Every structure is written in C-alpha cells, then in structure tokens.
Amino acid sequence: MQLTVWTYEGPPHIGAMRIAASMRGVHCVLHAPQGDTYADLLFTMIARNGKRPPVTYTSFQARDLGGDTAGLVQKTLAETVERFRPQALLVGEACTAELIQDQPGALAEGMGFDIPVIALELPAYTRKENWGAAETFYTMVRALLRGRQAPQRQTSGRRPSANLLGPTSLGFRCRDDIVEVTKLLDSAGIDVNVVAPAGASPEDLLRLPEADFNVCLYPEIAHGACAWLERMFKQPTVKTVPIGVGATRDFLIEVGEVAGIDTGPAIAAAQTRLPWYSRSVDSTYLTAKRVFIFGDATHAVAAARIATEELGFDVVGIGTYSREFAREVRDAAARYGVDALITDDYLEVEAKVLELAPELVLGTQMERHIAKRVGIPCAVISAPIHVQDFPARYAPQMGFEGANVIFDTWVHPLMMGLEEHLVTMFREDIEFHDEAAPSHLGPAAKRQGGEQASTTTVAGAEGASANDAVVWDPEAEKELRKIPFFVRGKARRNTERFAQDRGVATITVETLYDAKAYFGR
C-alpha cells in the first residue's frame, strides 16, 4: 500500500462494497476500524445513489484490540441479519482488520444462518479495488450456482437471450450503458435475461445459466465470472465492448455469430451522427490532434480506437492503472507505435503528459486535474470519477448513441477551426495580451501564458540536468507573445525542448519557427 493524495483504485474491500451496493437483497459486513466507515460518502454523495449502501461495519476501536474482537464480529453479524433480512450475506474485512486475522468469513459460516453466507478473501496489501469487485462477483456467482446442472435451452420458437455482466455502482456511465446495450440487442432480435451485478438479486444470479450467451461489458469486473460460466454451463462470451461506431458494429457481428442470427439489418438501421460530424467542414480541423489517453484498460483501448479510426487524432501516449489488463493495453500501444504507461502513480502520469505535451488528454478525474494545471483540454473517459461524471441526463458511452455522446464530450473542450482562425487573426487585439487586459479564462490562463523568466531550466523526461538552461532572445520572447495565450505555454515548452535537444543555448526567432515546423509535422 502507498500513502498518496490521489489513488486510481481503493483497496479490494471497496470493490466488495461496490458489488453489494449494486445489487438487491445483498448485504455486506466488513470487519473494519471506525475510520474505514465511509461507504455513505462514496455511494450517496459521489455516485448520487438515492439510498444508503447495504454495508455494515464492526467499527472496532483501539481499545477493542485488547479484548475479543472476534466476539464483536459475531455480534455484528447476528444484528445485521436480524435487522436487514438479506437474501445473501457477504463477509469480508478491511485492510486494517486483515492484520488482526479474526477470519470473519469463517466465523459467519459457523453461525448457522439460513441464508447463503459468502466469505470473501480480500488481500488488501497485494490487490486493489477492481480486482476486489471482480473477485466478489465471481465468488458470488460460483457459490450460488455450485452444483447446478446446465439447463436444456430450446433454440426454436423463441428469441435468443443474453446476460449483461459487469456494470456496477461507481462504474463509468454503467446505468446508461445498460439501457443502450439492451436497445441494441433488442434491435437485433435478442432478449436480455439478467443484468448483473447492477440491479440483480441473488435469485437473478440463479437464472444466469438460462441465457444463450454472456456479454462481458466490463472485463475488469466480469471477466472471471464469464470464464467460469463458459466452463461450467457452456455459455459463450461476447468479448467485444461496444464503445465507438466501429466497435459497436463489431459487437453486433460477434453477437450474430454467437447467437446464430443475422444482425446485418440492425447494423444497417443504426443511426449515429459521429461519422458525419467527424467529416464535416469544421471538424476536419481535428485531424492529427495529438491525444494522450489514460484510464481503465477497457475505456483506454476503446478510446484509442475511436481517436484514430473515427476522429482522425494521433495517439501519442496510452496507459492504464489496471495492471491485470496491462497486456491488452500494451498490445494497443504497439498498434499505434507508442509505449504503454502501466502505473497507478498519478505523478508518473503527470510527468508523461508534460513530456508529450498533447493537445487533448482523455483520462480520469486525476488527468482532469493534471491537464487543468498545465492548460491542456481534457475529457473524462474512465473511472475513477467525481460527482460531475454521474450526470442526471442520459449519457451512455456504449452503442451508437454512446458514440454521439463521446463525440460531443471529446470535441467540446477543443478550439474548433474557425474559432482558432479568428483568434489568430485578431491576436494583436488588446484582449489577447495578458499584460494589457485580463483573460476571460481567469488566472489559470494568465499563469500559463503570461510573462516568464527569460532563462528557463528544462529538465525531466529527456534526461536534462538542473544546470542545462536555455535563454530566450528578447525578439523571440516578443514573437512568442503573439501566440494566443491558451497555447503559448505549450509553444514555449516545445521550443525549449527543441533547443535543448539540439544544444542551442539561446532561442532566437529562427529557433522558434524551426521548432514550430518540427512539431507541426
């Protein structure tokens, strides 16, 4: 574990809480100290859930450690079952309680409850949140379906059916993705049997084997459960995640192959504005925009495909904090000729953003903060997310309507062609000079684009030392100020890096334009 200001994932017991909070008729008891009892904050204030999460803590304190904490676990379990009457009980422990080794799962299994008790192994010092969610879901599915036989599925006289697996509370746009994918499957003549864990009950999980196949919507959560269902009940898994126009078409093709039906009419009838918008007059200005992508593996890989194939961006960097899916991200990085960044340290991500100086960042709420500090446009594409990324409006990421939402979300932070042309035309106007008039973008723009010391130390990813410095010629500084303030910081950084790489000690007007030509290729 690492003490840090921000984290991409919490400990694995947060993942277990997400599964419990996503389902009906399930309660989670966590052996945890008083300071770990913050589930309400996560699910009611951030995820905007209208009800409290079904999580109960033992809430032991320091003085309890000298006594019988196992007795406290048993007392809490008995009171929880009596009060909430769940259909199934999840039992685990938080990272601090793991050190006590009270084994709350074993204690619960020995108490003779008349409901399924599912003991969770959540190694807090080696695993993280998404793994905890995936392991909890897989353990529930396996525990409830163990010993059951595969049903005899009738193939004539009925529509094929599918399970949608993986959406959870605190996931990125899961609520709306479920609706969109359900519509998509219906248009192809396929019914949805069970959606899980989101909105499912333990009784619903018992119906999972009745479907003809499973759709793994979010591999970080559902990969293990899908693999187990495929082994035990011979249910094939649709693995294409329908994020983007191309991926949604591929998804329908794979669904047709698995279900044995023709999905061509559903593909032909699809309506999405992204292809036309991305070819329209002003949007052609998006071509070759340099973009850096970071998030969970599913959304990062999907974003890279959309960026290159559907919007004409150039991917200059891609990475993930999902170490369990690092191979998939490395494969994607190889397709785009870049190195994959596999890390859960946001400071490494920040250093990479500063090194690459992209024109757009697609990331999590952490990348939103990083990009804001350096004045780079950013769009959020992945959890972890904050309250503003749980919109009241319908805003899916999957399916053809999701492609429309993605186009709007990614393009709106950018300056479009006509707008930038006009700003450049009037760049001598007093409005665009920080020393003469305040920026309508506020102090952040001034910090980025305003006057800086004429001697700048360039250090960091290129291996420069603190003694390597470049000096700006006054004429070059004057020419730099003609560049609009919102991209001036980037121009300065690129020019200094260009000069340092070539051993240029003093940046002249010629150096500035040589750098512009080099980075504009």
Side-chain angles (χ1 to χ4, degrees):
M1 297 184 68
Q2 179 182 6
L3 183 63
T4 183
V5 177
W6 291 334
T7 57
Y8 288 98
E9 296 181 272
H13 73 268
I14 301 297
M17 288 164 46
R18 286 174 57 187
I19 299 301
S22 301
M23 299 185 66
R24 297 178 290 111
V26 175
H27 203 92
C28 180
V29 174
L30 287 174
H31 192 26
Q34 193 169 28
D36 278 356
T37 55
Y38 47 80
D40 284 8
L41 172 67
L42 291 174
F43 296 101
T44 60
M45 294 185 66
I46 295 180
R48 299 184 179 184
N49 285 353
K51 60 181 180 179
R52 296 183 63 186
V55 181
T56 298
Y57 303 91
T58 57
S59 300
F60 63 82
Q61 302 179 51
R63 64 173 178 266
D64 297 319
L65 298 179
D68 183 13
T69 51
L72 177 61
V73 172
Q74 292 173 315
K75 179 176 180 292
T76 303
L77 287 166
E79 292 175 349
T80 299
V81 172
E82 175 66 25
R83 178 182 177 185
F84 295 103
R85 301 288 182 181
Q87 298 174 28
L89 187 67
L90 300 176
V91 184
E93 54 195 350
C95 45
T96 308
E98 185 180 341
L99 302 174
I100 304 174
Q101 297 185 343
D102 279 331
Q103 297 184 320
L107 291 172
E109 289 174 335
M111 292 181 68
F113 294 125
D114 59 354
I115 58 174
V117 174
I118 300 164
L120 303 175
E121 294 291 335
L122 303 171
Y125 299 93
T126 57
R127 298 291 187 172
K128 294 198 172 184
E129 179 181 329
N130 278 344
W131 183 91
E135 182 69 10
T136 300
F137 183 50
Y138 163 71
T139 302
M140 282 194 70
V141 170
R142 187 182 62 181
L144 294 173
L145 292 176
R146 184 185 292 118
R148 291 180 175 264
Q149 299 298 316
Q152 295 293 326
R153 304 183 188 97
Q154 296 181 354
T155 57
S156 60
R158 68 171 183 86
R159 292 180 12 142
S161 67
N163 298 317
L164 305 184
L165 303 183
T168 67
S169 183
L170 287 181
F172 187 61
R173 307 291 171 83
C174 290
R175 176 198 66 193
D176 298 339
D177 284 348
I178 293 169
V179 176
E180 192 62 28
V181 175
T182 300
K183 291 179 181 177
L184 199 61
L185 292 175
D186 181 66
S187 71
I190 296 170
D191 295 327
V192 171
N193 178 49
V194 171
V195 177
S201 68
E203 291 180 351
D204 291 327
L205 297 188
L206 296 177
R207 296 192 295 108
L208 286 175
E210 298 173 8
D212 296 294
F213 62 95
N214 296 309
V215 175
C216 188
L217 283 184
Y218 304 95
E220 286 85 354
I221 306 300
H223 173 75
C226 286
W228 187 83
L229 289 167
E230 190 164 358
R231 289 196 307 272
M232 301 304 295
F233 298 102
K234 311 305 179 188
Q235 289 176 306
T237 301
V238 172
K239 298 178 181 179
T240 303
V241 180
I243 301 179
V245 176
T248 300
R249 289 172 176 158
D250 291 347
F251 169 80
L252 286 172
I253 292 171
E254 185 178 358
V255 164
E257 293 171 350
V258 168
I261 61 175
D262 180 14
T263 56
I267 296 173
Q271 295 184 355
T272 177
R273 300 177 184 88
L274 186 149
W276 159 243
Y277 280 11
S278 64
R279 295 193 303 268
S280 62
V281 175
D282 200 52
S283 291
T284 56
Y285 184 76
L286 303 174
T287 303
K289 288 287 187 185
R290 303 171 70 255
V291 60
F292 174 80
I293 302 168
F294 194 88
D296 66 36
T298 296
H299 288 91
V301 171
R305 178 176 178 179
I306 296 169
T308 55
E309 296 181 10
E310 299 174 21
L311 292 176
F313 292 159
D314 287 340
V315 174
V316 297
I318 182 173
T320 185
Y321 57 83
S322 302
R323 294 185 181 276
E324 293 84 1
F325 293 86
R327 178 179 298 176
E328 288 80 355
V329 175
R330 288 195 176 99
D331 289 345
R335 287 196 296 273
Y336 306 116
V338 298
D339 294 328
L341 177 64
I342 312 298
T343 183
D344 56 6
D345 186 344
Y346 67 91
L347 294 176
E348 291 185 30
V349 180
E350 181 174 30
K352 181 59 70 172
V353 170
L354 293 176
E355 173 194 343
L356 296 173
E359 293 162 281
L360 176 66
V361 172
L362 303 174
T364 73
Q365 67 163 325
M366 265 76 95
E367 283 67 51
R368 188 205 333 256
H369 293 306
I370 291 168
K372 185 176 182 180
R373 281 203 304 276
V374 296
I376 299 174
C378 178
V380 174
I381 64 163
S382 163
I385 47 182
H386 210 348
V387 61
Q388 62 265 50
D389 293 306
F390 291 94
R393 70 186 186 279
Y394 184 63
Q397 298 293 285
M398 295 185 179
F400 294 114
E401 183 59 29
N404 294 336
V405 173
I406 287 171
F407 178 87
D408 289 342
T409 304
W410 295 12
V411 170
H412 287 175
L414 296 170
M415 178 167 292
M416 304 302 287
L418 178 59
E419 184 180 5
E420 180 159 334
H421 174 72
L422 291 173
V423 170
T424 302
M425 181 184 300
F426 294 102
R427 65 186 178 187
E428 298 295 341
D429 192 280
I430 191 172
E431 178 185 354
F432 299 111
H433 289 270
D434 300 328
E435 65 276 11
S439 167
H440 63 286
L441 296 182
K446 192 160 201 165
R447 285 197 301 272
Q448 178 199 344
E451 293 291 333
Q452 298 184 17
S454 59
T455 301
T456 306
T457 299
V458 182
E462 302 297 330
S465 71
N467 295 323
D468 294 332
V470 293
V471 178
W472 282 78
D473 180 83
E475 289 299 318
E477 281 277 11
K478 183 178 179 181
E479 191 68 17
L480 179 68
R481 287 197 296 271
K482 294 180 180 180
I483 299 174
F485 57 81
F486 42 81
V487 291
R488 195 179 304 155
K490 177 184 174 183
R492 179 183 286 274
R493 290 191 300 271
N494 283 349
T495 304
E496 288 169 350
R497 188 170 65 179
F498 178 85
Q500 182 198 25
D501 289 346
R502 286 152 182 78
V504 176
T506 301
I507 295 176
T508 63
V509 174
E510 289 75 16
T511 310
L512 178 61
Y513 280 96
D514 286 344
K516 179 182 178 182
Y518 175 80
F519 286 104
R521 291 183 304 178

